[in-house]
Amino acid sequence: MSGEKQKRIEISILGYSRLEVLSSHLSPAVVMASEKEAALAAVPSDSPTIFDKIINKEIPSKVVYEDDKVLAFRDISPQAPTHILIIPKVKDGLTGLSKAEERHCDILGRLLYTAKLVAKQEGLEDGFRIVINDGPKGCQSVYHIHLHLLGGRQMNWPAG
């Protein structure tokens, strides 16, 4: 997909680019030019995130799966032909994987199982990748745990 076409798609989805949306949850003085900079500028907190606004239908998204525990929707800046974010509906202090406690085992398992269901639904029988970014050096820009489901093309190794 050309950069121009992707840019038009991003604008048509929310009226803003991914970085503009992410930056709206950061200090107004922060101007970011990349996902890496967005991650380095993001501040972990239990405050509502962009994902909370998506869960509450305050921000539109292209939902591909929803149940009482999780929500899966298309990423507005896809890194593969299929790029879906899978999030728990209740954060419960789980801002990132490094914050997981034993009480989070059920929701973590549910997120992975949902990834399997969505991958099948999306026709990714030949394979897919699951990514969890954690912390600034892991390039996490939204502090509400989430899985990236990537597929539809040959993945490379090493990742990142």
Side-chain angles (χ1 to χ4, degrees):
M1 178 182 306
S2 74
E4 186 60 33
K5 184 175 180 184
Q6 183 174 339
K7 187 175 183 178
R8 284 195 309 268
I9 290 170
E10 286 181 24
I11 290 169
S12 70
I13 292 173
L14 295 176
Y16 300 98
S17 75
R18 178 183 175 96
L19 290 175
E20 288 172 322
V21 172
L22 291 173
S23 68
S24 72
H25 298 280
L26 304 171
S27 164
V30 177
V31 178
M32 293 151 295
S34 73
E35 290 291 327
K36 181 179 174 184
E37 288 177 355
L40 292 173
V43 179
S45 85
D46 283 326
S47 299
T49 68
I50 184 171
F51 293 163
D52 294 302
K53 292 179 180 186
I54 289 171
I55 291 164
N56 293 328
K57 310 296 188 214
E58 297 168 25
I59 295 177
S61 65
K62 291 190 174 183
V63 174
V64 297
Y65 179 89
E66 182 172 15
D67 65 24
D68 60 327
K69 304 279 185 195
V70 301
L71 181 69
F73 54 94
R74 298 199 186 278
D75 194 299
I76 64 169
S77 183
Q79 302 303 305
T82 300
H83 187 169
I84 295 169
L85 299 175
I86 304 168
I87 63 174
K89 287 186 170 180
V90 176
K91 193 171 15 175
D92 188 28
L94 195 52
T95 56
L97 189 57
S98 61
K99 302 300 183 193
E101 298 175 8
E102 189 171 345
R103 67 189 169 99
H104 296 121
C105 287
D106 287 343
I107 193 62
L108 291 170
R110 181 68 161 263
L111 291 169
L112 287 172
Y113 183 70
T114 300
K116 177 256 188 195
L117 295 176
V118 173
K120 183 175 183 179
Q121 174 184 300
E122 293 290 314
L124 301 176
E125 291 86 11
D126 289 341
F128 54 90
R129 179 170 287 167
I130 300 297
V131 175
I132 300 176
N133 299 328
D134 190 85
K137 289 193 175 180
C139 215
Q140 184 178 4
S141 56
V142 179
Y143 282 86
H144 183 134
I145 195 164
H146 55 286
L147 307 183
H148 294 260
L149 169 63
L150 301 153
R153 68 170 168 83
Q154 178 61 53
M155 298 293 152
N156 297 307
W157 197 257

